[in-house]
Amino acid sequence: MAEPKAVLDQSSFQRMSADMEAYDEKREIVIKHSRDILKSSKQAIFAMHRGNMDEASEKLEVADQVIQQLAPLIMEEPTLRHGSFSSAMEEYAEAQCFRHFLTAGTLVALEELNFVDRDEYLGGVVDFTGEVTRYAVVMATKRDVARVEECRNIVDAISGELIQFSFRNSPLRKKYDSLKYNLKKLEHTLYELSLVGPLRAFNLSAGDDEPSAENDTSHC
C-alpha cells in the first residue's frame, strides 16, 4: 500500500520554527542590553547636571561599549532596532548632545555619534532641549545671563531647523511641540533676568539716598 502523499513540507515549518526561536533569543539579548544603554545614558545626564563631567564620560563609555556589542546583531536583524534599542539610542543621543553643548557650546552632528540613526538623533536633539532648559534655570539662579543666552540661542537654532521638517503625526511631532515650550520658557527666563538687573540697581540707588545711622540727627 502506497504511503499517503504529504500535504505540506514539514521540514519547512521546522526551519521557520527554529528561525523564530533564534530571533527571539536575539531579541531578548537586545532588550536586556538596551536597558544598560538607557541606564548609562540617564546616569550621564544626571552627572552632567551635577557638574561631574568625568563621571558622565565614564557612563557614556559604558554605553558605547554596549552599543558596539549589539551593533552586529542589529545589522543582522534590522527589525530588532525598533522598540527598546531605538529608545535607548535616543537617550544616548540626548546625553551626547548635552555633553557636547556643555563642553563645546555647539550641537553635535549626527555623523559624529556612534551607530545612531536619523530618527533617534532627532528625538534625542529635541529631548536635549529639555535638559538645556533645566540647566538654564540653574544658571539663571546664579545670574549667569550669558550662559542662559547660550541655552536660548541653541534651542532657537534647533527650532529654526526643525520647523522646516514635515513630522505629520509621528512621535517626533509631539516632541517638537515640547521644544517650542522649552524655547518659550527660556525666553521668559531671560526676560525675568532683564528685570532683575534694573530692579537691583534701583534698590542700591535708593539705599545710597537713605541716611546712615551715624548721620541721622533726628533723635537729637
Side-chain angles (χ1 to χ4, degrees), residues 48 95-109 112:
M48 284 184 272
Q96 290 286 16
C97 286
F98 194 32
R99 179 171 69 166
H100 200 271
F101 171 71
L102 293 178
T103 57
T106 59
L107 181 67
V108 66
E112 298 178 57

Side-chain angles (χ1 to χ4, degrees), residues 128-184:
F128 152 72
T129 66
E131 302 304 334
V132 170
T133 302
R134 281 186 278 276
Y135 173 74
V137 170
V138 175
M139 293 299 101
T141 62
K142 299 178 180 180
R143 300 293 187 267
D144 191 341
V145 178
R147 197 59 168 154
V148 177
E149 286 179 339
E150 289 179 12
C151 294
R152 187 275 312 275
N153 291 343
I154 195 167
V155 173
D156 186 41
I158 292 170
S159 178
E161 293 300 321
L162 294 187
I163 199 172
Q164 304 175 56
F165 284 62
S166 178
F167 292 126
R168 300 183 184 277
N169 294 321
S170 71
L172 285 171
R173 172 74 242 181
K174 295 180 180 179
K175 284 182 176 288
Y176 178 66
D177 290 340
S178 70
L179 183 154
K180 291 187 289 185
Y181 169 79
N182 290 331
L183 180 57
K184 183 177 180 180

Side-chain angles (χ1 to χ4, degrees), residues 20-130:
M20 289 182 68
E21 288 182 9
Y23 181 87
D24 285 342
E25 289 177 2
K26 295 174 185 176
R27 180 173 174 272
E28 289 301 319
I29 292 173
V30 170
I31 291 174
K32 178 182 178 181
H33 291 294
S34 291
R35 296 193 193 104
D36 296 331
I37 300 171
L38 184 68
K39 180 180 178 181
S40 294
S41 299
K42 285 183 177 294
Q43 289 175 334
I45 292 172
F46 185 63
M48 284 184 272
H49 277 299
R50 298 198 319 270
N52 194 335
M53 298 303 293
D54 289 339
E55 181 183 345
S57 295
E58 290 174 3
K59 296 299 181 182
L60 287 175
E61 285 178 10
V62 171
D64 278 324
Q65 292 171 4
V66 179
I67 292 169
Q68 292 296 338
Q69 293 173 6
L70 292 181
L73 269 180
I74 300 298
M75 289 187 288
E76 181 183 348
E77 297 282 0
T79 56
L80 290 174
R81 184 168 204 125
H82 308 307
S84 298
F85 182 77
S86 187
S87 296
M89 293 301 289
E90 196 170 291
E91 190 75 21
Y92 169 79
E94 177 185 354
Q96 290 286 16
C97 286
F98 194 32
R99 179 171 69 166
H100 200 271
F101 171 71
L102 293 178
T103 57
T106 59
L107 181 67
V108 66
L110 168 62
E111 293 74 17
E112 298 178 57
L113 297 182
N114 179 22
F115 206 61
V116 177
D117 73 12
R118 181 200 62 198
D119 287 357
E120 292 159 358
Y121 175 74
L122 290 174
V125 166
V126 176
D127 288 342
F128 152 72
T129 66

